[in-house]
Amino acid sequence: MAENQTEYYKIERAQEWRAEIRKNIKVKDRTEMIRVKMLEQDPLIRNKNGLEVNLGLTEELAVTEAQRCIDCPDPTCITGCPVNIYIPKFIKKIEIRDFLGAAQVLKETNSLPAVCGRVCPQEKQCENSCFYTIKLNKPPVAIGFLERFAADYERNSGKINIPETAQKNNIKVAGIGSGPASLAWATDMARMGYDVTVFEALHEIGGVLKYGIPEFRLPNSIVDIEINNLKKMGVKFVTNFVVGKTASLDDLREQGFQAFFVASGAGLPRFMDIPGENSINIFSSNEYLTRINLMGAAKDDYDTPVPFGKNVAVIGGGNTAMDSVRTAKRLGAERAMIVYRRTRNEMPARVEEVEHAIEEQIEFMNLNNPVSYIADQKGRVTKMVLQKMVLGEPDSSGRRSPVPLEGSEYEVDVDIVVVAVGVSPNPLIPASVKGLETTKWGTIKVNEQFQSSIEDIFAGGDIVRGGATVILAMGDGRKAAENMDIYIKTTLKHKSND
Amino acid sequence: MNTIIDKQYFSEKVVKLTILAPDIAKNRKPGNFVIIKIGEKGERIPLTIAGADIEKGSVDLVVQIVGVSSHKLSALNIGDAVTDIVGPLGQATHIEKVGTILAAGGGVGAAPLLPIIEAFKKAGNKVITVLAARNKDLIILEDEVRKHSDEVIIMTDDGSYGTKGLVTAGMEEVIQREKIDLSVVIGPAIMMKYAAMTTKKYNINTIASLNTIMVDGTGMCGACRITVDGKTKFVCIDGPEFDAHKVDFDEMLLRLSAYKDMEAKAYEKHISCKTQS
Ligand SMILES: Cc1cc2nc3c(=O)[nH]c(=O)nc-3n(C[C@H](O)[C@H](O)[C@H](O)COP(=O)(O)OP(=O)(O)OC[C@H]3O[C@@H](n4cnc5c(N)ncnc54)[C@H](O)[C@@H]3O)c2cc1C
Ligand SMILES: Cc1cc2nc3c(=O)[nH]c(=O)nc-3n(C[C@H](O)[C@H](O)[C@H](O)COP(=O)(O)OP(=O)(O)OC[C@H]3O[C@@H](n4cnc5c(N)ncnc54)[C@H](O)[C@@H]3O)c2cc1C
Ligand code: SF4
Ligand code: SF4
Ligand code: FES
């Protein structure tokens, strides 16, 4: 952590109000308190409706949980958060019931706290670095739950705080894609007074937050409120606009855009290239979730169709797989199965989602891998052929890789299969911009300033990282904004000196 | 935005719409398509850009009414707006001077074919076009096609216009008669399958423009995937045009029927609601 940042934390921590509440309860008593439980819908009710699973904390629960945080002199939790939210400060604001103040602290570094509180893999990030986890071997402070609480409180209070914007400088900048990377970038650019336009290929703003992550985990209305705030800050959104197709970057340069932030995501679904995979009713998770989340296919009065299966198999172990399988269950599947080639311990999904899935009667077929699919005469999938796997020796990355067990193939009846084995970077922008350097994986190459090989093009989020997380994408957006500002100011200075 | 400025019926089931979309008009190339959506709850459907006018900032779409979405679109009138239109999508046709082109358009396939023959003709090729349909009413854009072709052969299944017979008969007649350097076939999947089999016999390079089911049209979902030369391709970003001799048309035909039953029900419901109100 930067020197001056540590200094800042020290000064802040020494403030009277913080010192005061530290005294209220003894550290030992704080550490003996038990971590709160999130209020949740009953598993067997929620797996039949589309409503949010987690109901949030009450004010009392939030304050109690906030008391567990001992306001460490060296708050390791902050280093675990990719955008370095000032965690103890916002938590202590909750402890003194200044909930709006807590939200304010969150917004200093994170423009979408209501989203991150819900979808961050906290167990790998902030909570994994909490004093409780690393030193006490106890459940960490529920940073994610508290973040969600403060953000929701602010939203429901009707006193949502729109960040102040600097005086308009009339310099046009464009974001490409409207996922979390771009939203975070746009917030910071608008704050600095830029004239910000975000172009989106789809008819809706929000990227994966809208078309991927389902309502039961992240209601669209929450994302919409954040987008509306950006609109209030003057950010312009243009939907149905595929940069590289509807207009080229050169066209946009001609229209006066001075710099670009490419955040076009990792949109391209991977398939396994096994026999029968193009049978009817075998979907990529993107297609399945897009039909349902973006196009409303499961609702009667929407035109886009989607089949409702009895036996649904989802291939994969990430968040996308969990979202797909739990969606299938909600659409009435009798068997909703996860087929994953490693064990539960290796699953990349958020731990909470795996736990929720188990409670919702999702079947887990670990150490299994599909090798082919069988279809009927009409081309519809009827069976998947699975092969059993065992975990072999650890590979170079230290992960034990799955090894197929020869001769172990067996068939399982299915009528829908959702393939959720990962995504590749969307090739549209790299293909349409000459001279833009990419890696061998197709991601855009950037330097530490998130600047690409072309100086007015910055990039971040999944198009740079491959499939990553919401908060990493947002962190990239913020850093790109900071550096874009420097870039624009220096080039403008050069121009005026010429 | 997206206002319909002209509408013309070619037949009871085929309508041409001219829609304001200046960016798309300016950047479209032969072979490109758009995705449109009607209403908040509508679905996204792909349609080829049959023509464009950069000055007016408009694109032409020729739509065959087959189900709910094409019906909703055809029901819009001049002055109405299309809720969403995005494009131009897909790879443009690779246009070059090759010699003699044999173009074949089945039914509404004449519309996507038009900008392609226009471009090939401009590039200095000789263009012979076979237009085929079930009957006279379904032969569309004949005059426009004639403008950009050296010769036009009309085929109808029932003989109500031109020569009686299938598109392949018309193609074969030309192939017997002169050397063809490239064939372009666009129409229903089944027509493209047989047209491709015909040119294959004579080893004529052939491209087909595929009309698979799509959702986003930007490579994000894989709904449009097909097998070409044993490999999975996405029609919306790798296509829509492919080497017709390498396309697995049987798989494509099956995949096209994925929602047949649901669509038929939805269409019935849609039409009965319309007639009641
Ligand atoms: C189902 C699912 C569940 C997930 N769950 C979690 C989770 O629980 N926690 C977590 O942290 N992460 C999760 N992720 C990952 C996370 O959503 C992504 O890492 C994150 O959204 C990446 O953000 P982004 O801004 O880079 O791109 P995206 O959110 O992918 O947005 C990119 C946008 O750019 C648009 N676009 C692409 N090309 C163009 C173009 N040429 N012109 C204009 N627009 C264009 C796309 O249409 C899209 O809207 C999940 C992902 C999925 C798919
Ligand atoms: C790249 C591309 C370009 C296209 N260009 C045109 C065009 O210029 N003009 C035009 O009229 N159509 C075109 N199509 C086809 C058009 O998209 C479909 O006809 C349309 O989606 C049907 O929607 P619907 O709701 O009206 O009918 P649906 O309810 O979806 O379908 C009704 C019936 O039509 C069949 N059907 C559905 N989709 C297709 C399809 N893609 N091809 C053949 N049969 C289908 C169904 O099996 C069903 O029996 C194109 C498709 C693609 C992929
Ligand atoms: S943004 Fe994510 S990682 Fe950072 S504190 Fe919040 S939940 Fe933790
Ligand atoms: S490490 Fe844990 S206990 Fe310490 S300040 Fe952070 S959240 Fe509080
Ligand atoms: S239509 Fe979605 S990938 Fe082609």
Side-chain angles (χ1 to χ4, degrees):
Chain A
M1 213 169 290
E3 194 70 12
N4 49 5
Q5 200 66 18
T6 321
E7 199 53 34
Y8 165 71
Y9 291 145
K10 227 184 237 156
I11 298 168
E12 278 289 304
R13 185 172 182 273
Q15 295 232 354
E16 209 171 303
W17 69 273
R18 291 258 299 263
E20 193 68 28
I21 42 168
R22 275 199 299 277
K23 276 188 247 149
N24 282 351
I25 306 173
K26 283 202 206 91
V27 168
K28 186 160 175 298
D29 293 338
R30 289 184 191 268
T31 58
E32 261 158 28
M33 295 170 68
I34 294 173
R35 178 175 155 125
V36 283
K37 286 220 161 49
M38 174 54 82
L39 303 177
E40 293 167 359
Q41 274 199 80
D42 180 85
L44 300 186
I45 293 176
R46 72 182 188 233
N47 73 6
K48 293 176 196 67
N49 67 35
L51 305 177
E52 209 180 351
V53 169
N54 285 350
L55 302 172
L57 299 180
T58 59
E59 291 181 17
E60 291 326 306
L61 285 175
V63 170
T64 311
E65 182 63 19
Q67 288 169 349
R68 285 183 73 222
C69 167
I70 58 177
D71 198 4
C72 302
D74 173 20
T76 43
C77 51
I78 299 179
T79 47
C81 168
V83 295
N84 303 133
I85 286 189
Y86 194 173
I87 295 169
K89 184 172 173 189
F90 101 78
I91 294 185
K92 291 302 116 178
K93 291 265 181 188
I94 293 179
E95 189 172 337
I96 59 168
R97 293 183 166 269
D98 178 8
F99 304 134
L100 290 174
Q104 194 77 4
V105 175
L106 291 168
K107 292 226 167 145
E108 280 166 20
T109 48
N110 181 342
S111 45
L112 305 172
V115 175
C116 295
R118 286 173 165 80
V119 306
C120 262
Q122 289 95 5
E123 73 277 0
K124 292 195 191 109
Q125 300 179 345
C126 52
E127 295 184 14
N128 190 38
S129 308
C130 174
F131 181 74
Y132 280 73
T133 315
I134 53 183
K135 288 283 158 52
L136 301 180
N137 203 12
K138 286 188 175 175
V141 174
I143 302 169
F145 293 169
L146 291 175
E147 182 167 341
R148 170 193 162 134
F149 168 81
D152 286 358
Y153 183 91
E154 187 198 34
R155 194 179 59 252
N156 297 332
S157 71
K159 290 186 208 115
I160 210 156
N161 174 50
I162 311 287
E164 279 183 27
T165 52
Q167 205 185 353
K168 296 259 169 290
N169 61 18
N170 295 324
I171 298 174
K172 280 166 81 174
V173 290
I176 299 168
S178 65
S182 207
L183 297 179
W185 166 86
T187 310
D188 283 6
M189 292 308 280
R191 267 188 194 167
M192 292 186 273
Y194 286 91
D195 181 354
V196 185
T197 307
V198 172
F199 295 99
E200 168 57 49
L202 294 171
H203 59 272
E204 278 266 4
I205 302 295
V208 171
L209 305 181
K210 278 281 179 60
Y211 75 69
I213 305 178
E215 282 288 301
F216 60 81
R217 257 201 324 129
L218 176 64
N220 280 346
S221 58
I222 289 177
V223 184
D224 282 332
I225 286 177
E226 300 299 344
I227 291 165
N228 278 333
N229 289 340
L230 276 173
K231 287 185 184 157
K232 284 185 198 146
M233 289 169 70
V235 175
K236 285 166 259 182
F237 289 97
V238 181
T239 50
N240 294 319
F241 197 105
V242 188
V243 176
K245 293 276 183 190
T246 311
S248 66
L249 279 185
D250 279 338
D251 293 335
L252 295 177
R253 284 189 186 106
E254 241 167 69
Q255 291 174 25
F257 287 97
Q258 300 283 331
F260 302 91
F261 179 56
V262 179
S264 49
L268 210 67
R270 277 196 216 125
F271 287 93
M272 294 172 64
D273 284 327
I274 54 176
E277 205 178 24
N278 288 348
S279 304
I280 295 175
N281 293 340
I282 300 186
F283 300 91
S284 74
S285 49
N286 271 359
E287 181 182 356
Y288 188 65
L289 292 172
T290 299
R291 283 183 181 273
I292 294 160
N293 297 335
L294 184 72
M295 305 309 299
K299 294 178 212 150
D300 229 15
D301 49 343
Y302 284 70
D303 293 342
T304 304
V306 75
F308 293 68
K310 242 195 213 159
N311 300 307
V312 182
V314 176
I315 319 299
N319 286 318
T320 319
M322 294 306 139
D323 285 345
S324 303
V325 79
R326 294 169 73 198
T327 297
K329 188 80 195 173
R330 283 160 173 76
L331 297 188
E334 284 165 21
R335 287 187 82 181
M337 303 164 256
I338 283 282
V339 178
Y340 182 56
R341 63 195 179 124
R342 302 174 196 249
T343 70
R344 216 187 114 182
N345 295 333
E346 284 84 20
M347 282 194 168
R350 290 181 80 223
V351 168
E352 190 186 21
E353 307 313 328
V354 178
E355 284 165 1
H356 281 164
I358 293 169
E359 290 167 12
E360 289 165 12
Q361 300 185 329
I362 303 300
E363 280 177 58
F364 281 73
M365 304 168 82
N366 287 326
L367 292 171
N368 271 288
N369 205 30
V371 289
S372 66
Y373 299 100
I374 299 170
D376 66 10
Q377 274 183 336
K378 288 179 165 173
R380 280 155 222 268
V381 66
T382 53
K383 287 182 197 311
M384 60 178 168
V385 181
L386 297 182
Q387 186 175 47
K388 298 222 160 122
M389 313 290 278
V390 283
L391 283 190
E393 293 300 310
D395 59 14
S396 54
S397 71
R399 282 220 299 186
R400 295 178 65 191
S401 50
V403 185
L405 216 75
E406 291 308 325
S408 64
E409 291 84 356
Y410 65 109
E411 292 176 0
V412 179
D413 286 343
V414 286
D415 40 31
I416 292 181
V417 175
V418 179
V419 182
V421 295
V423 283
S424 306
N426 190 317
L428 252 167
I429 295 284
S432 73
V433 183
K434 259 203 216 100
L436 186 65
E437 279 179 34
T438 52
T439 65
K440 64 176 175 197
W441 299 279
T443 53
I444 296 179
K445 260 193 201 164
V446 293
N447 61 18
E448 277 176 13
Q449 285 73 47
F450 289 88
Q451 191 170 25
S452 73
S453 57
I454 298 175
E455 63 171 13
D456 64 348
I457 301 179
F458 292 70
D462 281 4
I463 189 66
V464 163
R465 297 173 177 272
T469 62
V470 170
I471 189 67
L472 285 170
M474 290 182 51
D476 291 358
R478 300 206 60 208
K479 284 177 210 132
E482 191 185 324
N483 289 298
M484 185 183 281
D485 177 53
I486 297 170
Y487 160 78
I488 290 176
K489 290 198 173 131
T490 38
T491 44
L492 284 185
K493 214 188 258 161
H494 280 299
K495 272 188 199 150
S496 60
N497 287 348
D498 281 347
Chain B
M1 280 246 290
N2 313 342
T3 312
I4 296 173
I5 55 169
D6 195 26
K7 180 177 181 181
Q8 192 187 337
Y9 276 94
F10 288 143
S11 74
E12 198 193 333
K13 291 273 184 203
V14 180
V15 59
K16 176 171 126 182
L17 295 165
T18 305
I19 302 172
L20 283 185
D23 287 325
I24 303 175
K26 193 169 131 218
N27 289 303
R28 69 99 202 191
K29 295 204 173 62
N32 285 150
F33 64 94
V34 293
I35 289 216
I36 63 133
K37 177 171 154 285
I38 312 288
E40 271 314 294
K41 299 175 179 179
E43 68 185 326
R44 296 169 65 97
I45 63 164
L47 296 164
T48 309
I49 303 169
D53 184 327
I54 295 182
E55 243 137 68
K56 281 195 200 135
S58 62
V59 292
D60 297 334
L61 307 179
V62 176
V63 199
Q64 179 164 34
I65 303 167
V66 293
V68 174
S69 301
S70 47
H71 186 271
K72 278 188 179 171
L73 179 60
S74 72
L76 297 181
N77 289 311
I78 294 175
D80 291 343
V82 173
T83 318
D84 296 285
I85 178 165
V86 58
L89 300 170
Q91 303 293 331
T93 312
H94 182 68
I95 305 284
E96 58 180 343
K97 185 164 180 211
V98 291
T100 305
I101 309 274
L102 173 59
V108 74
L113 194 61
L114 184 62
I116 296 173
I117 57 174
E118 185 178 342
F120 271 116
K121 180 81 190 139
K122 267 202 195 121
N125 294 284
K126 176 176 176 188
V127 176
I128 304 170
T129 308
V130 180
L131 284 185
R134 280 205 307 281
N135 57 48
K136 182 173 190 235
D137 282 348
L138 299 174
I139 295 286
I140 57 164
L141 293 166
E142 184 188 339
D143 293 343
E144 289 84 347
V145 167
R146 279 193 191 283
K147 219 162 65 192
H148 304 293
S149 309
D150 294 272
E151 185 188 344
V152 175
I153 295 168
I154 310 269
M155 307 290 301
T156 51
D157 293 6
D158 64 357
S160 54
Y161 189 45
T163 311
K164 182 172 164 149
L166 297 174
V167 68
T168 44
M171 292 173 74
E172 209 133 358
E173 182 201 315
V174 180
I175 296 169
Q176 301 283 355
R177 181 179 85 192
E178 59 188 290
K179 180 174 171 287
I180 301 298
D181 299 290
L182 177 72
S183 181
V184 184
V185 301
I186 309 185
I190 191 77
M191 168 257 171
M192 291 191 279
K193 175 182 165 178
Y194 283 100
M197 280 161 65
T198 305
T199 58
K200 174 108 190 166
K201 274 196 302 197
Y202 302 94
N203 266 324
I204 299 168
N205 282 343
T206 303
I207 52 179
S209 180
L210 305 185
N211 50 359
T212 50
I213 291 172
M214 290 191 179
V215 182
D216 60 300
T218 63
M220 185 264 273
C221 76
C224 61
R225 69 192 190 276
I226 47 146
T227 305
V228 182
D229 207 12
K231 289 199 190 70
T232 294
K233 296 276 175 191
F234 287 8
V235 172
C236 67
I237 50 169
D238 300 320
E241 287 164 15
F242 293 93
D243 180 340
H245 297 155
K246 297 192 173 145
V247 172
D248 183 342
F249 279 107
D250 293 327
E251 178 191 271
M252 179 178 155
L253 278 160
L254 284 176
R255 286 186 62 80
L256 268 175
S257 70
Y259 300 102
K260 217 172 187 136
D261 303 341
M262 283 187 224
E263 277 154 357
K265 266 190 218 137
Y267 192 53
E268 264 168 44
K269 195 171 137 196
H270 175 70
I271 296 298
S272 69
C273 290
K274 277 274 156 328
T275 45
Q276 274 162 21
S277 61

